[in-house]
């Protein structure tokens, strides 16, 4: 596969994959003496499901945090939609249409499921403070309009029954789903998922896989996801980046990656020198 | 079993977004409003207005303001007294400088000025949190009281160092000064209290409120999903300051009439309003009212029952009040951070299912 090609390709199951929307160029990220990411480049193409895999501490979450604008790499460039991205605050990145979930669930525990998902609509809800104080009119209309959009996502993820429940009362698996709902509510161009299936049982994993595929299929959302379960990764993703000790050791289709010797070594725990 | 929601289905998101989604609650709310505006004014005398109604209405506004900052946005403030003083002194300067303008606008502008001051002292919140922010707002408290004490311009160089509210009228009826009828002061404050409560409710049920709560619950996640923390925190300080400023202006102009800043707006006031918010319920508008009512009524009750009824000495009753408030704060902080409002909610939940709990 020619990585830099801009033309559309069609996958075996008929999904369209477009040109490059996001490109990481020679990213290096250090924390003091620790090099979390070492000179890594890869790209994400429109409409694809891109997986990032690697052993614990490989630097996968750090990479998502760089994309989110939460960490600022010492070296390298982030290109988004054909433009080099200047250093940005996380909320500015979110405003550009990059939404995410977290490895350790980061929901707003004091709020209901509905309110949590509604916060995902920040990008779409622009009414000023004064109009909100008056409520009737613009603020109410905007609220209703966005509520309708959020309800669609709530239906889609099958969480109607817990709409009004405080998030703190939900079991782990449902929390993960609510977090996905909140990210989807933003109608992102790129959705970043940090271990969406960690800690789930088989059934919950199957549900989550189905949701991820459906999101990609129905909304055409570009997805970058981190996952440990190799089976899931191979099933879901179009292309895979493999990281180990902050370095990229593989990049390609699941089949290519699976037969890559460096990847096999890393996963089999061959001693590093 | 007349308190219920069965058969009261919502068919639109507008209905579902109402402040009181259950019909019974909505009717009760209208009944309270009608009583407050059309019945109570006829029953009032000086004692009830000054001992109960005015302090309740004015503290409710302050508690709503502080609750937005602490309960909704999670930014601790111990500067409420100082910010009320800003509202009071702004109102005083405006009343004296522009006697031809209605006091109604003076109070609102005082709220606006306090909002600005509050934002200024809220700036450190962008860097510091929790305990350290509390200390920073405490510094604001002491600085502001010191400022109004020391700089003669604020009290127009009066010999006593006090500020006195001149008589001002609304629709020809005095609401400030020594001659005002009790019902006019009451109605004037009531209008502000109701308006502030509605505005606070509107802000907290919409996107502004969700941004504040997101910052409160997890500020890093909030920023990553798109909340600008600077804007969210500073709007909370501004809105909070606006309400606290209005309450300070009313406290001075309508309620006390004459103010010595250290006495009226000292650190005690900051704690009093904070206790109202904690006892009433963090993150609840209704709780702000409940907390204000509780802490206004408690001393009145103790005084009437213990001192008036049982003949206890006054200071003993006062000590008992401290003990009750102190232990309640501890109980609520540990057992029920959502305060009286949550107890009320739980009671309603039980009532809703009564008499068939399953
Ligand atoms: N804020 C930070 N400060 C210091 N070191 C950090 C920080 N964040 C990450 N690191 C370090 O960077 C390295 C990569 O961490 P990262 O969380 O990205 O790994 P990961 O691939 O997501 O691992 P896991 O599978 O366990 O989630 C680790 O050595 C970690 O200790
Ligand atoms: Mg990780």
């Amino acid at each position: 596969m020619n990585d830099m090609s801009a033309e559309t390709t069609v996958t075996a199951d008929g999904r369209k994959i477009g040109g490059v929307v996001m490109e990481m160029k020679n990213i290096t990220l250090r924390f003091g003496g620790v090099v979390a990411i070492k000179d890594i480049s890869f790209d994400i193409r429109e409409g694809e499901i891109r997986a990032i895999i690697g052993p614990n501490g490989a630097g996968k979450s750090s990479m998502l945090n760089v994309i989110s604008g939460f960490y600022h790499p010492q070296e390298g460039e982030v290109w988004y939609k054909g433009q080099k991205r200047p250093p940005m605050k996380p909320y500015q990145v979110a405003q550009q249409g990059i939404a995410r979930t977290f490895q350790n669930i980061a929901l707003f525990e004091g709020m209901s499921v509905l309110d949590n998902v509604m916060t995902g609509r920040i990008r779409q809800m622009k009414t000023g403070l004064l109009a909100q104080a008056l409520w009737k009119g613009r603020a109410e209309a905007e609220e209703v309009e966005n509520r309708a959009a959020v309800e669609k996502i709530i239906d889609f993820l099958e969480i109607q029954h817990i709409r009004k429940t405080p998030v703190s009362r939900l079991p782990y698996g449902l929390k993960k789903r609510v977090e996905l709902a909140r990210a989807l509510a933003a109608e992102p161009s790129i959705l970043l998922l940090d271990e969406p299936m960690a800690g789930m049982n088989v059934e919950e994993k199957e549900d989550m896989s189905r949701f991820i595929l459906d999101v990609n299929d129905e909304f055409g959302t570009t997805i970058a996801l981190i996952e440990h379960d190799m089976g899931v990764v191979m099933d879901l993703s179009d292309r895979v980046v493999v990281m180990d000790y902050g370095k990229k050791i593989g990049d390609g289709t699941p089949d290519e990656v699976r037969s890559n010797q460096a990847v096999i070594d890393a996963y089999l725990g061959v001693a590093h020198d | 079993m007349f308190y219920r929601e069965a058969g009261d289905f919502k068919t639109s998101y507008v209905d579902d977004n109402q402040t009181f989604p259950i019909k019974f609650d909505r009717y009760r709310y209208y009944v309270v409003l009608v009583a407050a505006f059309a019945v109570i004014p006829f029953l009032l005398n000086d004692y009830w207005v000054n001992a109960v109604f005015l302090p309740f209405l004015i503290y409710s506004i302050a508690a709503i303001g502080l609750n937005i900052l602490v309960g909704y946005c999670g930014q601790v403030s111990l500067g409420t007294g100082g910010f009320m003083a800003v509202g009071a002194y702004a109102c005083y300067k405006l009343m004296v400088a522009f006697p031809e303008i209605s006091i109604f606008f003076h109070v609102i502008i005082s709220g606006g000025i306090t909002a600005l001051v509050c934002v200024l002292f809220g700036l450190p919140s962008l860097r510091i949190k929790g305990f350290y922010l509390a200390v920073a707002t405490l510094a604001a408290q002491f600085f502001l009281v010191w400022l109004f004490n020391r700089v003669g311009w604020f009290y127009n160089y009066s010999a006593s160092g006090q500020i006195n509210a001149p008589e001002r009228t609304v629709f020809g009826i005095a609401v400030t000064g020594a001659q005002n009828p009790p019902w006019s002061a009451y109605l004037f404050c009531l209008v502000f209290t109701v308006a502030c409560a509605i505005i606070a409710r509107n802000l907290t049920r919409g996107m502004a409120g969700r941004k504040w709560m997101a910052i409160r619950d997890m500020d890093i996640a909030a920023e990553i999903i798109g909340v600008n923390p600077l804007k969210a925190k500073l709007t909370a300080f501004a809105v909070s300051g606006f309400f606290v400023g209005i309450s300070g202006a009313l406290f001075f102009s309508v309620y006390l009439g004459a103010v010595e800043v250290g006495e009226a707006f000292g650190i005690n006031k900051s704690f009093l309003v904070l206790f109202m918010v904690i006892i009433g319920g963090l993150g609840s508008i209704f709780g702000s009212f409940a907390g204000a009512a509780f802490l206004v009524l408690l001393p009145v009750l103790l005084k009437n029952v213990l001192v008036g009824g049982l003949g206890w000495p006054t200071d003993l009753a006062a000590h008992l009040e401290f003990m009750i408030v102190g232990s309640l704060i501890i109980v609520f902080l540990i057992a029920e951070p959502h305060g009286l409002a949550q107890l009320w909610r739980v009671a309603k939940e039980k009532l809703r299912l009564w008499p068939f709990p399953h």
Side-chain angles (χ1 to χ4, degrees), chain A residues 61 103 194-195:
Chain A
S61 296
Q103 185 167 352
D194 196 343
E195 306 203 14

Side-chain angles (χ1 to χ4, degrees), chain B residues 270-295:
Chain B
S270 297
F271 281 116
L272 179 64
V273 180
L274 187 63
F275 291 164
M276 287 173 177
V277 170
I278 292 172
I279 291 180
L282 289 162
S284 159
I285 306 292
F286 171 76
S288 311
F289 281 104
F294 187 82
L295 286 191

Side-chain angles (χ1 to χ4, degrees), chain A residues 5-272:
Chain A
S5 69
E7 74 271 13
T8 307
T9 52
V10 179
T11 61
D13 50 345
R15 289 175 306 118
K16 284 205 188 85
I17 293 182
V20 172
V21 278
M22 172 151 275
E23 193 176 359
M24 315 301 287
K25 292 187 181 174
N26 307 99
I27 302 286
T28 296
L29 175 72
R30 283 185 289 266
F31 297 104
V34 181
V35 185
I37 302 175
K38 200 170 180 184
D39 192 27
I40 289 191
S41 304
F42 70 98
D43 61 23
I44 301 170
R45 296 175 62 179
E46 196 156 5
E48 78 172 333
I49 299 183
R50 185 75 148 127
I52 303 175
I53 64 170
N56 289 110
K60 307 177 298 292
S61 296
S62 301
M63 184 56 90
L64 284 205
N65 282 331
V66 168
I67 298 178
S68 297
F70 188 61
Y71 289 159
H72 297 276
Q74 280 78 13
E75 284 155 46
E77 296 173 356
V78 179
W79 287 65
Y80 180 55
K81 294 189 171 164
Q83 281 182 324
K84 184 180 164 188
R85 197 173 78 181
M88 270 187 179
K89 293 260 162 65
Y91 71 88
Q92 294 169 314
V93 173
Q95 296 283 353
Q96 284 198 331
I98 297 178
R100 69 172 289 180
T101 65
F102 300 83
Q103 185 167 352
N104 309 308
I105 300 168
L107 286 169
F108 307 122
E109 294 277 325
M111 297 158 69
S112 68
V113 168
L114 182 61
D115 275 336
N116 266 278
V117 182
M118 284 294 283
T119 46
R121 300 291 292 178
I122 286 173
R123 214 153 71 92
Q124 283 81 6
M125 297 180 74
K126 295 287 176 202
T127 316
L129 205 62
L130 214 58
Q132 286 188 61
L134 298 175
W135 191 254
K136 284 286 163 207
R138 216 141 46 84
E140 187 177 41
E142 188 186 63
E143 182 85 8
V144 168
E145 206 181 292
N146 284 279
R147 171 79 187 271
V150 158
E151 287 292 339
K152 280 205 196 102
I153 289 157
I154 287 178
D155 282 351
F156 181 79
L157 292 178
E158 297 159 19
I159 47 176
Q160 305 91 328
H161 57 295
I162 50 165
R163 219 190 250 114
K164 298 270 166 98
T165 312
V167 159
S168 52
R169 281 197 220 152
L170 297 180
Y172 180 83
L174 275 179
K175 281 189 182 176
K176 281 270 189 198
R177 213 187 286 182
V178 173
E179 214 191 7
L180 177 63
R182 184 180 67 187
L184 278 182
E187 296 178 19
S189 356
I190 300 185
L191 177 62
L192 310 173
L193 305 174
D194 196 343
E195 306 203 14
M197 283 161 248
M200 287 185 164
N201 62 33
V202 178
E203 203 177 314
E204 288 171 324
K205 276 188 186 178
E206 277 169 7
D207 279 343
M208 189 52 96
S209 303
R210 180 167 54 86
F211 288 131
I212 292 171
L213 284 174
D214 284 352
V215 166
N216 175 259
D217 204 25
E218 283 191 31
F219 309 128
T221 311
T222 309
I223 297 174
L225 74 99
I226 296 174
E227 188 47 57
H228 271 298
D229 187 325
M230 285 305 271
V232 170
V233 170
M234 296 302 158
D235 283 350
L236 286 183
S237 52
D238 297 303
R239 289 189 303 157
V240 185
V241 177
V242 191
M243 293 177 67
D244 189 21
Y245 285 99
K247 281 183 293 219
K248 184 166 103 171
I249 59 170
D251 190 352
T253 63
D255 285 333
E256 287 167 8
V257 161
R258 198 165 12 202
S259 52
N260 179 328
Q261 192 55 46
V263 176
I264 295 168
D265 289 349
Y267 269 86
L268 294 179
V270 168
H272 289 263

Side-chain angles (χ1 to χ4, degrees), chain B residues 80-91 114 144-145 148 163 244 248 261 265:
Chain B
T80 315
F83 296 129
M84 283 177 80
V86 173
Y89 278 77
C91 191
T114 313
L144 288 168
V145 168
F148 294 128
I163 53 174
V244 170
V261 63
F265 300 115

Side-chain angles (χ1 to χ4, degrees), chain B residues 70-130:
Chain B
V70 182
Y72 284 94
C73 197
Q75 310 297 304
V76 185
S77 167
L78 293 176
T80 315
F83 296 129
M84 283 177 80
V86 173
Y89 278 77
C91 191
Y92 169 69
K93 292 296 284 188
L94 288 166
M95 284 169 88
V96 173
F98 306 101
E100 67 285 355
I101 295 177
S102 166
I103 172 131
F104 186 75
F105 295 109
H106 291 152
V107 172
I108 293 176
I109 298 168
S110 304
I113 292 171
T114 313
L116 293 179
V117 174
C118 214
V119 166
L120 198 69
F121 284 104
L123 285 173
S125 72
L126 306 175
R127 282 298 171 81
I128 55 179
K129 292 180 197 168

